[in-house]
Amino acid sequence: MKKLALDFYRRENVLEISRDLMGKVLVTNWGGGITSGRIIELEAYAGAPDRASHAFGGKLTDRNRVMYMDGGVAYVYLCYGIHHLFNVVTHRKNTPHAILIRALEPLNGIPVMLERTGKEEPDNSLTRGPGNVSKALGIHTIHTGFSLRSKELFIADDGYQYSNKEILTSPRIGVDYAGKDALLPFRYYVKGNAFVSGKPK
DNA sequence: GAGTAGATCCTCT
DNA sequence: GAGGATCTACTCA
């Protein structure tokens, strides 16, 4: 297991980084032990020109400030008053690119995830959907701005790779308000994986 | 299996 | 004061 280098996150093409993040392992290690999962679904948010992005038009607020930092940090925020959503900030300072992690395939610390989510048995809903991912890994808004190379939170490469045939793209979910940009195929997911959110195809 | 409503609170205008 | 990068449970068929 090798932590991804900062250069990985600081490239200019957010779609290329998204594709490369597929199959990598997201790890948290706080309050209860290590929990980790393989990234099997995500969405790219391409900064100021992207209507669906929180940073559309170069908007800068206290909430989205970390999106403007150098790549390689976490951006966590609360949605619908209930769900914590975890993003990876990419590109360089002042270019607010981000990638939303939508689903994982659980690897380590499943008992801890069950405890956090209040479930008895592991099932497909444990880490399906961005709200559940954060819940299972214990990610909260206080973790926004965290480095992705810290001891408590990081993304690693364990050598596993999905082939191009296994990865599909689609429009992003829940961004109908973004007009034309809602149709962009910026969502990546693993074909046939039971943890992918939305309707099975 | 498909469709819909309700939860619930922070952030921005 | 309004609305949101969502999830779950419940209804009806």
Side-chain angles (χ1 to χ4, degrees):
Chain A
M1 290 270 275
K2 240 176 49 182
K3 283 184 197 176
L4 298 181
L6 287 176
D7 287 347
F8 180 95
Y9 303 104
R10 294 183 180 173
R11 286 176 286 166
E12 295 187 3
N13 187 339
V14 69
L15 295 177
E16 182 182 304
I17 301 172
S18 300
R19 171 63 184 84
D20 289 347
L21 268 182
M22 294 293 287
K24 298 293 185 289
V25 181
L26 174 63
V27 184
T28 64
N29 182 15
W30 46 48
I34 291 181
T35 46
S36 69
R38 192 177 306 288
I39 298 169
I40 54 123
E41 184 186 358
L42 50 75
E43 286 174 9
Y45 287 85
D50 187 349
R51 297 194 78 87
S53 170
H54 285 167
F56 172 63
K59 197 166 69 164
L60 176 62
T61 66
D62 281 339
R63 179 173 74 154
N64 71 14
R65 191 172 302 278
V66 298
M67 294 180 80
Y68 290 83
M69 293 170 66
D70 269 326
V73 297
Y75 170 45
V76 186
Y77 74 95
L78 188 66
C79 185
Y80 296 96
I82 307 170
H83 306 290
H84 298 270
L85 271 59
F86 172 76
N87 298 252
V88 176
V89 176
T90 69
H91 208 297
R92 287 280 179 175
K93 207 157 128 185
N94 297 326
T95 304
H97 286 182
I99 299 170
L100 170 69
I101 306 299
R102 292 191 54 88
L104 304 173
E105 184 179 312
L107 293 177
N108 293 307
I110 291 176
V112 182
M113 296 188 200
L114 291 175
E115 200 175 311
R116 283 179 182 143
T117 52
K119 294 185 196 300
E120 304 277 324
E121 300 280 334
D123 63 14
N124 293 346
S125 71
L126 190 58
T127 51
R128 183 174 60 186
N132 290 331
V133 168
S134 305
K135 204 169 168 187
L137 294 189
I139 296 171
H140 298 278
T141 50
I142 53 168
H143 301 124
T144 205
F146 253 62
S147 164
L148 292 176
R149 288 175 59 78
S150 63
K151 249 197 313 199
E152 295 84 8
L153 170 68
F154 59 91
I155 298 176
D157 182 358
D158 68 351
Y160 192 90
Q161 276 201 5
Y162 289 111
S163 71
N164 285 333
K165 266 194 242 162
E166 292 171 287
I167 295 185
L168 301 178
T169 62
S170 81
R172 291 170 292 187
I173 291 178
V175 293
D176 298 339
Y177 61 86
K180 190 170 67 161
D181 288 343
L183 302 174
L184 295 171
F186 282 6
R187 171 171 173 253
Y188 291 69
Y189 61 101
V190 175
K191 189 178 176 179
N193 191 296
F195 289 93
V196 171
S197 62
K199 288 179 219 161
K201 203 181 136 195

